[in-house]
Amino acid sequence: MTFEYTTQYRRASQIPAEPGTPYFIEKGMGDRAHLFGDLITIYAGGEQTENAFNFFTCEGPKGDLIPAHLHPDTYEVFYVTAGAVRVFVEDLEGEQYEKLLGTGDFGFVPKNCPHAYRIERHHSQIVGVAAGPGGTFERFFENLGVPTDAIGLPQQPVVPEPHKFATVPQQYDVRFLSEHQWRTRS
């Protein structure tokens, strides 16, 4: 049995808009968006969990560093299920860390800590979970990027218009740090 719901982001979704509804989603069939060279798939978000957490995947090719950013009210988890991802994070005292995560490796970023990542191997996949008192940020991907029904990576990178970087993140607990410099090895 397949249920489909309409959301403000997609004409059909298998994710119910209201909390308290059990549901199941087959692999890859969550709400999807293309952003940069990646495919983001959302399986559960703030709407379903009363803003307690979200659950999403990010798949992508080997590529550039995702811009440094932080989440003032959100904790973020990186769990690599395929490939390799290099995570950069700065703690609240300004100490920077860099770690190459491979399949099965886990990384945790506390709220308010600048961080970024770079996919190091083609066909890498990250499972992301974010939680915090300010709600969750999963719909950021669809609003900064482009919602898609495609299951694969974008044919061309989806680079947001500059004005979106100034407006969209404010709504989703994301603050980009355009001047941030990483002092780590890579």
Side-chain angles (χ1 to χ4, degrees), residues 6-173:
T6 299
T7 72
Q8 64 182 9
Y9 314 102
R10 299 169 49 85
R11 66 179 175 275
S13 173
Q14 295 177 344
I15 302 174
E18 300 297 323
T21 303
Y23 64 98
F24 305 92
I25 297 177
E26 293 177 12
K27 180 181 177 180
M29 297 310 296
D31 292 350
R32 296 178 299 282
H34 286 149
L35 181 57
F36 305 115
D38 301 337
L39 172 67
I40 310 295
T41 305
I42 300 167
Y43 292 91
E47 296 146 329
Q48 295 73 44
T49 66
E50 297 176 338
N51 286 329
F53 71 94
N54 63 35
F55 185 94
F56 61 93
T57 60
C58 173
E59 298 176 59
K62 182 176 180 177
D64 295 328
L65 185 69
I66 297 300
H69 61 283
L70 61 79
H71 308 288
D73 291 316
T74 304
Y75 301 87
E76 188 170 4
V77 166
F78 291 81
Y79 181 75
V80 178
T81 57
V85 177
R86 187 173 304 277
V87 177
F88 301 82
V89 64
E90 183 176 303
D91 67 19
L92 297 175
E93 284 76 42
E95 186 169 347
Q96 292 188 357
Y97 304 85
E98 173 188 329
K99 180 70 175 173
L100 179 64
L101 301 177
T103 301
D105 291 343
F106 172 92
F108 174 76
V109 178
K111 67 180 181 176
N112 263 324
C113 289
H115 59 284
Y117 68 90
R118 181 176 62 224
I119 294 177
E120 298 286 356
R121 290 189 198 128
H122 290 298
H123 308 291
S124 291
Q125 183 180 53
I126 305 164
V127 170
V129 176
T136 59
F137 64 81
E138 75 285 346
R139 296 301 176 182
F140 159 84
F141 300 117
E142 294 164 313
N143 283 278
L144 191 63
V146 175
T148 184
D149 290 328
I151 294 176
L153 300 177
Q155 296 296 316
Q156 298 292 322
V158 175
V159 179
E161 297 173 18
H163 77 275
K164 281 190 166 185
F165 279 104
T167 57
V168 171
Q170 295 170 6
Q171 303 168 32
Y172 297 98
D173 196 37

